[in-house]
Amino acid sequence: MFRLSIQKFILKSNPIRSNYILKPRFFNTSPILLKKKSTKQKLQKQDEKIQAEAAEEIITPTIDFPTVESKFEKILTKFEKQANEIKLGKLNPKIFDNLIVNIGNQKDVEEVQFNTIAQTSIKGRNFIVTMFDPSNGQSLINAIIGSGLNMSGTIDPSNKFNIKIPLPPITSETKQQNLKQLKELFDKLKNNKTNSLTSIRGDTRSKFQSNLKNHKITDLENKQLTQLEKLHKLYIDKLHEKFKAYEKQILK
């Protein structure tokens, strides 16, 4: 009671003092600032969520079918080129190209490749070796005799630049050897671990599957793999058709 009476007395006698006492100071946080901070945090969380979802997004890889088909076509072209050489066998004008020829004299012998000093063609029932320098005639003939091809030749008396070599007869044994080589070529370009139809398909599948995320394969992805298998089978059939065609020509 005594303390209250003193306070009333002070208030009446000093109004300025009373204002100071009756109006205490308050400290608080601005609700606008809190709202701004809260909104910024919310947006940041949303952004992080979007980024996380983007990182987990499933991107379906695609197979470049035109490139795959182009690679398959190159295999067929390679088969045709090599199969034609097998079919010609000993009738191939390139048969002597890789022979090593010793030219020069006994004191100064030089080894050169056959096709650097001569070229071969077929005319009638003979190989015609056209020499760039007729002084190499006997050296070329010696290389042919020593090749193991069971052939020999003579210099054409009417043209000192030419060597005539009779074409070897085609026997049943020769045909069987050619067929064996053709089958080996077919198997190699069909199933070899590299540079074959099967290896191209395998590499394409491996690359396609390595780009898949850890998810269940989709219908679209399955469809692409199925299309790849169909394309591979189509070219296996094409290769087989070419094999049978060359086989028939060799057996004629």
Side-chain angles (χ1 to χ4, degrees), residues 59-62 206-213 215 221:
I59 300 174
T60 298
T62 56
S206 178
K207 184 178 179 181
F208 179 84
Q209 291 173 334
S210 68
N211 289 329
L212 294 175
K213 301 290 182 180
H215 67 279
E221 290 160 356

Side-chain angles (χ1 to χ4, degrees), residues 165-184:
I165 305 168
L167 292 174
I170 303 300
T171 64
S172 297
E173 184 182 355
T174 301
K175 291 180 179 181
Q176 291 303 314
Q177 289 176 349
N178 292 346
L179 283 177
K180 182 181 178 181
Q181 291 179 37
L182 185 70
K183 183 65 167 62
E184 288 173 351

